[in-house]
Structure formats: C-alpha cells, structure tokens
Amino acid sequence: DDTPVARLLPVYLDRLDQGIPAADAVYDLTREGWLEPWMRLEAQQDDEEARLAYMTPFFTVNRIPAIKPGASILATVTDPASRELPALVSHRYGSGRAAALTIGDLWRWGMKDAEQQERLAKTWRQLIRWAVNDVPNRATLSWSDGKSSALPLTDLAVSVRDQEFDPQDDASVELEVTPLEGEPRRVTTEPSLEEPGLFSANYLSGEEERGFRVRATVRDGSGEFVSEEVTARALNPLAEEFATIGAGETGRQFLASLASATGGELITWEDRSQLPDLLSELNLPMTEITQRPLWHSPWLFLLALSCFIGEWAIRRRRGFL
C-alpha cells in the first residue's frame, strides 16, 4: 500500500479482510472471464469446464473484499465455506493494462502432472501477452484527412516518446511517401506547438493517385535509431465526393469548403432560380492569354493609311511632287 504499484493495481490494498483464511479454494472463471479468449485454454466449452474441474485446489489466497471502479473480475475461487473471492482482476490503467492475481500458490496446479505443467506455462504466456500486446511503440504514425482544405490533403502525425514514455521533443523524424505508381518522395516534418513530442506534416496527393505508403524513421537527439513505422492510405476522390453530397450537414460543410477554396458560392436547392444571375455576375479567377498581330487591327490600318495620305498631301503642297 502507499506505493506506485498500489495505485496501478485494480484492487484496494488498504481494505484487508480479517476473516479466516481460504483453504481448498476452487478456481473458476466468471462470465467476463469466459468472454476473454486469453483466459481459456480449450476451444470448446465442455473441454474448458473439464480442465477447470481437474485443477488442484489452492491454499494461499489473498482475500480482496473490494475492487476499484472500472475493474473486472475474470476469475474467482470458492472455499468450502462458500465464500467467493476474486482470483484474477484486471483493468485499464493509462495507455496500458494491469492485473492482480490473488492466488499465491498457483504453482500447485502445475505439480499435478506433466500435462498440467504445460497448461500452467501456457496460462502465464497468455497472461503476459495480454498485458503487453497493446502497448504502443515509442513512435506512432497516424494520418487523417486535411479538413482545412478542399484539396486531397493528408495530415501525417508522428508521436515520439522516450524510454520512460514521456514526450520526446529532441527527435528527428524523416517521412518517405511512396505512391502506388510513382517514385518515393521526402516530406518534411515540423514539431507541433501545441503538443510535446508530436511531429506533423502535410502531403498533397495528385488527382490520379490511388493511394500511397508512408514510412517514418525516428531517431533521438543523439542520432540513435528509435523506431520505424509504416502506414498506408487508399484514395478514391470521386467516391468520397459523391458519398458526401447527400450526407446532410456533413455534405453541406464539404461543399461549402470546396466553394470557399475555389472562389465559388454555395446555393441551396430552394435558391436554384438564382443560379443564372450568379453565373453571369460571377468573377471567375481565370486568365486566358491570346496573341493577335497588330496589323489585323482596323484602327492600326486606318492610322497607317492616314499617315500615308498626310505625307502625300504635304509633299504635294510644298511642290515636292
């Protein structure tokens, strides 16, 4: 009690049961325990019930009268006095998991015969694998749609942590984006100003691009390799566009962002009669460059002809002709 271990456990250590010790306690799974695959050793329920019935009784049980809120009792032990006590309790703690096994002589199960020893070893392997299976890596790579733009923009984010799993800012993150049909491209990441240990980047995919793969290489401040994470994304802009058109408020927001990014205007079905007037008054941000010889202009021809006649008149008046 009163240690970091006590805080992460799913049971209270300051509420001891002062009753008589539990002897000849029989192990069994609760309903929640039956629903957890890693708690079982047999595929069929009948075989699992036979396995539980063949287990040896236990004599060293830490009596836990209460569990913490949010914790789950996966297994219990029942003594001859019909007292049912928690045997295996688990809960989520932070980004991981924690469990408390209250049976102190679980080794008795493996002493029954060689087959039970193998079953005991398998139980420990499954318990440890469950405890560490979902532990995140020191670096995690994720992507999301670029909501601030109507263009096919993908926001890439890499979260880096040190060996103590605290955010690590003095890291370097290299991103390599490889389209399905194209050459790899280097993408520069920038540290986030809002969240420590987070490095972000934007990737603008081409119109004909059908997907890409992202590889993130993370190194710490001294240049030591930390992790290499890979993720991928499939792109189908046409399907996404048509999927959002009739999506209620979500589709309206998408069309509004598209109109804002391209200099257009969003009109509702009720205002469709205003469309011709809007099109005639719309100032499209489009420039068309054309080339035309000056000699094909009537005013230039008339100017040249006037100069020719004027020169002839001046020469004739002064007697040069």
Side-chain angles (χ1 to χ4, degrees):
D1 194 17
D2 262 345
T3 66
V5 175
R7 288 193 292 271
L8 68 89
L9 286 180
V11 297
Y12 292 106
L13 300 182
D14 58 346
R15 306 179 185 181
L16 300 180
D17 188 356
Q18 302 297 332
I20 60 176
D24 278 339
V26 179
Y27 182 89
D28 196 8
L29 299 181
T30 63
R31 183 178 182 276
E32 291 180 309
W34 278 101
L35 296 177
E36 294 289 344
W38 62 273
M39 286 290 296
R40 305 191 304 269
L41 300 182
E42 302 292 343
Q44 301 297 327
Q45 182 176 351
D46 295 340
D47 297 337
E48 184 68 12
E49 291 177 348
R51 178 190 73 83
L52 294 172
Y54 190 69
M55 289 179 64
T56 57
F58 302 103
F59 296 87
T60 306
V61 179
N62 295 277
R63 298 183 303 278
I64 302 296
I67 63 174
K68 293 181 180 179
S72 301
I73 300 177
L74 304 179
T76 59
V77 289
T78 305
D79 63 2
S82 298
R83 291 186 303 171
E84 188 176 77
L85 302 173
L88 183 60
V89 187
S90 69
H91 74 162
R92 298 199 64 88
Y93 188 85
S95 299
R97 296 166 172 170
L101 180 65
T102 65
I103 301 176
D105 56 347
L106 192 66
W107 52 267
R108 291 181 182 272
W109 175 22
M111 299 298 291
K112 194 168 187 177
D113 54 47
E115 182 181 1
Q116 300 306 309
Q117 182 65 38
E118 295 179 359
R119 292 175 180 270
L120 175 61
K122 185 177 180 180
T123 299
W124 279 117
R125 289 196 302 271
Q126 293 185 175
L127 174 62
I128 295 175
R129 187 177 295 113
W130 164 84
V132 301
N133 186 44
D134 291 338
V135 174
N137 296 330
R138 288 182 55 186
T140 56
L141 170 62
S142 61
W143 64 266
S144 61
D145 289 321
K147 303 299 183 182
S148 59
S149 174
L151 302 175
L153 189 68
T154 302
D155 295 334
L156 303 174
V158 181
S159 179
V160 184
R161 298 184 178 275
D162 57 17
Q163 294 183 354
E164 302 296 332
F165 264 74
D166 294 325
Q168 184 171 359
D169 291 326
D170 63 336
S172 62
V173 179
E174 298 179 358
L175 291 182
E176 182 184 77
V177 180
T178 306
L180 290 179
E181 299 175 357
E183 298 297 327
R185 307 173 188 174
R186 296 285 182 177
V187 179
T188 304
T189 61
E190 297 181 357
S192 174
L193 300 178
E194 300 177 356
E195 181 178 344
L198 181 65
F199 298 81
S200 59
N202 297 327
Y203 176 70
L204 181 61
S205 55
E207 295 181 357
E208 302 298 330
E209 200 165 313
R210 297 185 293 110
F212 55 86
R213 182 183 63 197
V214 183
R215 183 186 304 275
T217 303
V218 182
R219 301 181 183 276
D220 59 14
S222 60
E224 295 292 331
F225 177 79
V226 173
S227 178
E228 185 178 78
E229 303 296 323
V230 179
T231 187
R233 182 185 184 185
L235 293 174
N236 192 348
L238 291 179
E240 294 176 0
E241 178 181 355
F242 284 107
T244 56
I245 287 179
E249 188 63 28
T250 303
R252 184 184 297 272
Q253 294 176 0
F254 170 77
L255 294 177
S257 63
L258 181 62
S260 175
T262 57
E265 185 174 348
L266 178 65
I267 61 174
T268 62
W269 178 254
E270 291 76 12
D271 300 332
R272 63 187 182 276
S273 59
Q274 303 176 9
L275 183 58
D277 297 335
L278 291 175
L279 291 178
S280 61
E281 299 175 0
L282 189 61
N283 184 17
L284 296 177
M286 181 180 299
T287 302
E288 183 178 357
I289 300 176
T290 59
Q291 294 182 355
R292 185 179 181 184
L294 290 177
W295 293 110
H296 294 179
S297 302
W299 62 270
L300 184 61
F301 174 75
L302 293 176
L303 178 62
L305 182 60
S306 300
C307 292
F308 176 75
I309 295 175
E311 181 188 12
W312 177 82
I314 294 174
R315 286 177 177 271
R316 185 175 180 83
R317 184 175 182 180
R318 296 186 179 183
F320 292 121
L321 296 177

